[in-house]
Amino acid sequence: MTDIFVLSGMIAAAMVPFAIMAFWMRRGRTGYALTLISILGAAFVIFLYGVQTPIGLTPVQAYSFALLFALPAVLGAAGGGLLGWLLRKRDDRKTL
Protein backbone atom coordinates (compact mmCIF):
# COMPACT_ATOMS: atom_id res chain seq x y z
CA MET A 1 0.00 0.00 0.00
CA THR A 2 2.87 2.34 0.73
CA ASP A 3 4.18 1.83 -2.80
CA ILE A 4 0.92 3.20 -4.21
CA PHE A 5 1.20 6.32 -2.05
CA VAL A 6 4.82 6.90 -3.05
CA LEU A 7 4.05 6.40 -6.73
CA SER A 8 1.02 8.68 -6.61
CA GLY A 9 3.07 11.35 -4.84
CA MET A 10 5.79 11.13 -7.48
CA ILE A 11 3.24 11.31 -10.30
CA ALA A 12 1.54 14.33 -8.72
CA ALA A 13 4.91 16.01 -8.18
CA ALA A 14 5.66 15.54 -11.89
CA MET A 15 2.28 16.27 -13.47
CA VAL A 16 1.57 19.61 -11.79
CA PRO A 17 4.76 21.30 -13.11
CA PHE A 18 4.24 19.50 -16.46
CA ALA A 19 0.80 21.05 -16.91
CA ILE A 20 1.89 24.51 -15.75
CA MET A 21 4.95 24.55 -18.00
CA ALA A 22 3.03 23.29 -21.03
CA PHE A 23 0.40 26.00 -20.48
CA TRP A 24 2.94 28.81 -20.06
CA MET A 25 5.17 27.75 -22.94
CA ARG A 26 2.24 27.41 -25.33
CA ARG A 27 1.08 30.91 -24.38
CA GLY A 28 4.59 32.29 -24.88
CA ARG A 29 5.27 33.15 -21.23
CA THR A 30 8.82 31.90 -21.23
CA GLY A 31 9.87 34.11 -18.32
CA TYR A 32 7.41 32.42 -15.97
CA ALA A 33 8.43 29.01 -17.30
CA LEU A 34 12.14 29.68 -16.79
CA THR A 35 11.46 30.94 -13.27
CA LEU A 36 9.55 27.77 -12.39
CA ILE A 37 12.19 25.40 -13.75
CA SER A 38 14.92 27.42 -11.99
CA ILE A 39 13.16 27.18 -8.64
CA LEU A 40 12.57 23.45 -9.02
CA GLY A 41 16.18 22.87 -10.10
CA ALA A 42 17.43 24.91 -7.16
CA ALA A 43 15.34 22.83 -4.74
CA PHE A 44 16.80 19.65 -6.23
CA VAL A 45 20.36 20.95 -5.87
CA ILE A 46 19.74 22.11 -2.29
CA PHE A 47 18.49 18.66 -1.33
CA LEU A 48 21.53 17.05 -2.93
CA TYR A 49 23.76 19.56 -1.11
CA GLY A 50 21.99 18.58 2.12
CA VAL A 51 23.29 15.03 1.77
CA GLN A 52 26.90 16.14 2.32
CA THR A 53 26.40 19.16 4.56
CA PRO A 54 24.46 19.28 7.84
CA ILE A 55 21.68 21.76 7.02
CA GLY A 56 19.02 20.30 9.31
CA LEU A 57 18.23 17.21 7.26
CA THR A 58 19.67 13.76 7.60
CA PRO A 59 21.19 12.36 4.41
CA VAL A 60 18.32 9.87 4.11
CA GLN A 61 15.74 12.67 4.32
CA ALA A 62 17.60 14.77 1.78
CA TYR A 63 17.90 11.88 -0.69
CA SER A 64 14.24 10.99 -0.14
CA PHE A 65 12.99 14.51 -0.82
CA ALA A 66 15.32 14.91 -3.79
CA LEU A 67 14.44 11.63 -5.48
CA LEU A 68 10.75 11.40 -4.58
CA PHE A 69 9.64 14.99 -5.14
CA ALA A 70 12.26 17.32 -6.59
CA LEU A 71 13.59 15.11 -9.41
CA PRO A 72 10.13 14.16 -10.78
CA ALA A 73 9.11 17.83 -10.60
CA VAL A 74 12.18 18.93 -12.59
CA LEU A 75 11.68 16.19 -15.17
CA GLY A 76 7.96 16.92 -15.45
CA ALA A 77 8.61 20.63 -15.88
CA ALA A 78 11.22 19.95 -18.57
CA GLY A 79 8.82 17.65 -20.42
CA GLY A 80 5.99 20.17 -20.15
CA GLY A 81 8.22 22.94 -21.41
CA LEU A 82 9.23 20.87 -24.41
CA LEU A 83 5.61 19.94 -25.16
CA GLY A 84 4.45 23.55 -24.86
CA TRP A 85 7.25 24.74 -27.12
CA LEU A 86 6.42 22.11 -29.75
CA LEU A 87 2.70 22.96 -29.63
CA ARG A 88 3.46 26.66 -29.98
CA LYS A 89 5.75 25.95 -32.90
CA ARG A 90 2.99 23.89 -34.56
CA ASP A 91 0.43 26.66 -33.99
CA ASP A 92 2.78 29.26 -35.48
CA ARG A 93 3.36 27.07 -38.52
CA LYS A 94 -0.39 26.70 -39.10
CA THR A 95 -0.96 30.46 -39.08
CA LEU A 96 1.63 31.18 -41.76
Side-chain angles (χ1 to χ4, degrees):
M1 192 68 177
T2 305
D3 297 338
I4 293 172
F5 291 132
V6 169
L7 185 61
S8 64
M10 289 176 72
I11 289 172
M15 290 307 294
V16 171
F18 179 87
I20 292 170
M21 286 286 288
F23 178 77
W24 281 342
M25 286 297 289
R26 188 163 189 192
R27 302 291 184 281
R29 300 181 186 265
T30 56
Y32 292 146
L34 288 173
T35 301
L36 178 66
I37 194 98
S38 298
I39 290 170
L40 293 173
F44 180 66
V45 169
I46 288 170
F47 284 133
L48 288 183
Y49 177 73
V51 171
Q52 300 172 355
T53 310
I55 60 170
L57 294 172
T58 65
V60 174
Q61 286 176 330
Y63 265 134
S64 298
F65 289 142
L67 295 178
L68 295 178
F69 300 110
L71 183 62
V74 169
L75 294 176
L82 179 64
L83 176 68
W85 177 70
L86 289 172
L87 290 173
R88 182 172 177 85
K89 201 171 157 182
R90 184 189 68 181
D91 292 345
D92 289 345
R93 209 174 29 236
K94 282 184 178 180
T95 59
L96 293 177

